Amino acid sequence: MEIKLFLKIDHILEKEYEGQKTIHVQTIQKSEKKGFEIVKVKLTDEVLNFKIGDHISVPVRLSAMNNTIFYTQNGKIESVKGQ
């Protein structure tokens, strides 16, 4: 089963860990129960064909630790029309 996140890019974050550069895209998700939550997706593609404000669809792989869900890109990112 494939899981896709549909999100609007609010921030692009570049990190470096042990000499490896990683790129994450972040979006703010609003809910009545939690208020605001930042959703961060780690990208595995090296080529970024999008910018802040773009709406994208990202196939992801999920992992969890300490009650936190982590999203990692697991396929091709597609641009989608804005909502």
Side-chain angles (χ1 to χ4, degrees):
M1 176 169 87
E2 183 175 83
I3 299 171
K4 283 190 177 185
L5 289 181
F6 294 90
L7 53 93
K8 176 184 169 229
I9 300 171
D10 290 318
H11 187 70
I12 298 173
L13 178 66
E14 291 187 26
K15 291 184 172 185
E16 190 169 323
Y17 179 72
E18 293 182 355
Q20 288 277 108
K21 184 176 120 178
T22 60
I23 298 173
H24 296 80
V25 293
Q26 296 177 331
T27 190
I28 297 174
Q29 183 177 21
K30 301 175 191 175
S31 74
E32 290 182 22
K33 290 184 179 182
K34 292 185 177 181
F36 294 96
E37 181 180 9
I38 295 176
V39 176
K40 183 172 26 172
V41 180
K42 179 180 178 182
L43 303 183
T44 57
D45 275 348
E46 305 243 346
V47 179
L48 296 179
N49 294 326
F50 47 83
K51 59 189 180 309
I52 292 173
D54 286 352
H55 293 261
I56 60 173
S57 166
V58 184
V60 293
R61 178 179 71 243
L62 302 177
S63 57
M65 186 167 69
N66 298 331
N67 293 326
T68 303
I69 297 174
F70 297 93
Y71 302 94
T72 303
Q73 178 187 353
N74 192 30
K76 184 179 177 189
I77 297 173
E78 296 177 3
S79 183
V80 294
K81 299 269 188 214
Q83 303 293 323

